[in-house]
Amino acid sequence: MPKITVLPHTELCPQGAVIEAEAGTTICDALLKHDIDIDNACGGVCACTTCHVVVREGFKTLNEIDEDEDDMLDRAWGLTPQSRLSCQAILQATDVTVEIPKYSINLAKEGHH
């Protein structure tokens, strides 16, 4: 079972964490299952960027980024070459290390309509 190392995040995971998840699971689902409350305003359908993560290790072991995810990532705060939407990043058999950015663009949470 692959492990996800989550680097410390001030609000969501102050101490960092190491969790296990089944291969074939999205990073977002694995985090939520382990009480790391990453934003996911669209419910995991690749329609926002609130679940954006930076994959610090194991990026190339995840499924390929499709065109919809690539287009959506262009809107993410703090975009890097190792950015993924955690709702679209599917774990394989290899461990990964992720960083949850300090900010996310969540217009619903911020009161915009």
Side-chain angles (χ1 to χ4, degrees):
M1 215 183 283
K3 288 186 175 98
I4 304 172
T5 299
V6 183
L7 299 177
H9 181 280
T10 308
E11 296 170 14
L12 302 178
C13 192
Q15 306 301 316
V18 177
I19 61 174
E20 288 189 343
E22 297 277 339
T25 303
T26 67
I27 291 174
C28 185
D29 285 344
L31 296 178
L32 293 170
K33 183 177 179 183
H34 288 88
D35 300 319
I36 299 171
D37 196 22
I38 190 166
D39 278 346
N40 58 20
C42 74
V45 297
C46 197
C48 72
T49 63
T50 60
C51 72
H52 169 229
V53 295
V54 179
V55 183
R56 296 293 181 196
E57 293 180 25
F59 181 84
K60 292 183 186 260
T61 67
L62 300 169
N63 60 310
E64 274 193 49
I65 296 175
D66 68 18
E67 188 175 336
D68 289 340
E69 180 183 1
D70 196 39
D71 289 346
M72 194 56 63
L73 274 170
D74 287 339
R75 302 175 188 177
W77 182 91
L79 184 66
T80 77
Q82 293 81 34
S83 288
R84 290 295 304 262
L85 297 180
S86 66
C87 71
Q88 301 300 303
I90 300 171
L91 295 165
Q92 307 303 313
T94 307
D95 297 347
V96 297
T97 298
V98 299
E99 177 182 357
I100 301 169
K102 185 175 182 179
Y103 302 106
S104 73
I105 299 169
N106 186 340
L107 299 179
K109 192 175 187 179
E110 295 166 7
H112 299 278
H113 300 284

